[in-house]
Amino acid sequence: MPIGPTRRDFILTSGAGLLAAAAPATTNLAPPEKQRPGLNVPKVAEKPVGWAIVGLGQLALAEVMPAFREAKLSKPVALVSGHRDKAEQVAAFYGIDPKKIYSYENYDSIKDDPAIQAVYIILPNSMHAEYTIRAHKAGKHVLCEKPMAARVAECEQMIAAAREAGKKLMVAYRLRYEPYNKAAIEMCRSKVCGAVVQIEASNMQNTRPPNIRLSKALVGGPLGDIGVYCINACRYLSGEEPVEVTAQIYQPKDELRFAEVPRDVLWTMSFPSGVHAHCGVTFGSSSSRHYRVHCVNGYIDMERPFGYRGQELRTYTQRKETKHEFEMVNHFAAEMDHFSECILKNTEPLTPGEEGLRDQKVMAAIEEAAETGKRVKV
Ligand code: NAD
């Protein structure tokens, strides 16, 4: 008698043998009902929050409207535009009732439209305060694009209007709702590379006319448009509020596109713990966006931290670089759904008006520091 498995035993207990034994010719191995059982089919909430989009420019049409397709709790139900023909085309494409197209003149009548719960302000910066306050007076919750407003006083008026109406106000800091910047914050808090010492942040692009960003009257300029990302990042990465700033602004005299706004802004920020940040933005170079958090034992580095997509996060410790990868999300769908959830559950948004106000105070200090050449307290 042979000891151990015979060739027949081996065939029956090996994978090939089991398959042969378990699959009589009549068994249907294909998915039943022509699809896998337990398939995770995305479901739109039964009652998604109804949104009105105010301003149908580049951001609204290229990013925000398409993002609704990936949102689960948010649905576009109305449009506000100064260009009726454009709005009708957009409404037809997204299945919005043309009766729910408003102009800037009849905007206040959104108060009589119960389908609109949230209003998303995507207008030039000079118009953020007025259209936010009018929406609150109409009894609506507001998500306002960055920078929150033109001046500190306007931010305070917007916060007061929300409070008076008993409605929520959120600033569209989409990076707080996507996994890469969230991971970088967590790495700073958990000191994966040791305590934070210095942060450098830059946000560069080539802005060509015509563009709302080159108009002083529309509150353009690189500080509010792209610098606010660096300020906000240094605040969320350090977890502290800056106490003092120094700054320089450069506005070339011989380039027509910079007749009304600066080309470059460079500044430093000092934080209470002794962390320092140095930041730079320009409207005059090719696109480049980056931050690096220098820590006691290494650094945290993000390439394209402020882009709509394409973030690359690395840490460097003990002479070893590690790349960290996460599933990308649609930033706009994530931020809109966060706000919708706050509305549905009556909770406070992660980036309320107060968050925009803090950045606006830092921007005011940077402008004063550049003007006076002095260190300015925030
Ligand atoms: P845009 O110029 O493409 O759009 C501006 C919209 O406002 C247009 O529909 C325009 O018709 C309308 N408008 C109404 N009155 C106007 C006036 N007097 N002058 C000019 N336009 C007027 O600008 P955009 O790039 O869509 O930016 C809009 C807002 O969104 C800005 O506040 C900007 O900072 C913000 N933004 C945010 C992000 C982000 O990533 N969160 C990205 C881009 C822009």
Side-chain angles (χ1 to χ4, degrees), residues 285-311:
S285 84
S286 66
S287 286
S288 163
R289 312 181 199 282
H290 180 245
Y291 63 59
R292 181 170 286 189
V293 186
H294 298 273
C295 307
V296 172
N297 304 320
Y299 58 75
I300 301 161
D301 189 280
M302 183 96 80
E303 202 49 59
R304 292 178 288 284
F306 312 129
Y308 301 144
R309 46 195 74 84
Q311 282 71 23

Side-chain angles (χ1 to χ4, degrees), residues 60 106 164 211:
N106 71 8
E164 228 163 87
N211 197 310

Side-chain angles (χ1 to χ4, degrees), residues 72-120:
K72 294 187 174 71
L73 303 174
S74 317
K75 187 181 163 193
V77 296
L79 302 172
V80 181
S81 174
H83 299 84
R84 176 88 202 178
D85 45 349
K86 173 178 65 178
E88 277 177 7
Q89 211 174 314
V90 177
F93 189 83
Y94 286 99
I96 297 168
D97 183 350
K99 286 198 225 60
K100 292 191 187 290
I101 297 174
Y102 296 85
S103 67
Y104 298 119
E105 288 72 36
N106 71 8
Y107 175 59
D108 303 303
S109 64
I110 61 171
K111 74 172 184 302
D112 302 319
D113 191 340
I116 302 171
Q117 290 160 279
V119 170
Y120 192 170

Side-chain angles (χ1 to χ4, degrees), residues 54-61 63 81-83 86 104 120-128 145-147 172-174 211-213 218 224-225 229 306 308 332 335:
V54 187
L56 299 178
Q58 175 65 19
L59 181 69
L61 296 185
E63 300 294 334
S81 174
H83 299 84
K86 173 178 65 178
Y104 298 119
Y120 192 170
I121 308 293
I122 321 183
L123 291 166
N125 306 337
S126 56
M127 300 168 74
H128 288 185
E145 259 311 329
K146 46 55 57 181
Y173 288 128
R174 61 186 160 77
N211 197 310
I212 56 169
R213 290 161 184 77
L218 299 175
D225 187 53
Y229 288 96
F306 312 129
Y308 301 144
F332 296 94
E335 77 175 359

